[in-house]
Amino acid sequence: MTKQSEFFLYLIERYAEHKDTTANNVLDEWKRLNVVDLIYDMYEIYHCERLENAFDDIDKIVSEAQHKA
């Protein structure tokens, strides 16, 4: 497994905890909104900053995707 993949799994798990839900629910929502690849590709930024910053960015991505749906 690549470092990017490992981090993505870690990110989903921590984000799920942050949202008081499960990693499966988070991944299902991201798939439904078609943002999985976008978030996965943000590895270079997310892995070197505070997770809370990544969470804020992900919240924005999800919100924008929900408004488009």
Side-chain angles (χ1 to χ4, degrees):
M1 184 179 299
T2 66
K3 289 185 184 278
Q4 185 172 358
S5 295
E6 287 178 15
F7 179 79
F8 184 70
L9 293 174
Y10 173 79
L11 179 65
I12 291 172
E13 291 169 356
R14 298 296 78 77
Y15 186 78
E17 287 176 0
H18 171 72
K19 292 296 187 178
D20 196 29
T21 188
T22 67
N24 284 338
N25 288 342
V26 168
L27 189 56
D28 288 344
E29 180 181 29
W30 292 358
K31 285 179 182 177
R32 183 179 57 78
L33 296 171
N34 199 32
V35 297
V36 173
D37 290 340
L38 174 62
I39 295 169
Y40 183 88
D41 290 341
M42 297 296 284
Y43 168 75
E44 290 299 326
I45 295 170
Y46 291 164
H47 87 281
C48 63
E49 64 179 29
R50 291 178 54 236
L51 276 181
E52 291 79 9
N53 293 344
F55 296 166
D56 290 343
D57 191 55
I58 292 168
D59 286 344
K60 182 179 174 187
I61 290 168
V62 167
S63 178
E64 289 173 0
Q66 288 171 332
H67 286 98
K68 290 179 184 177

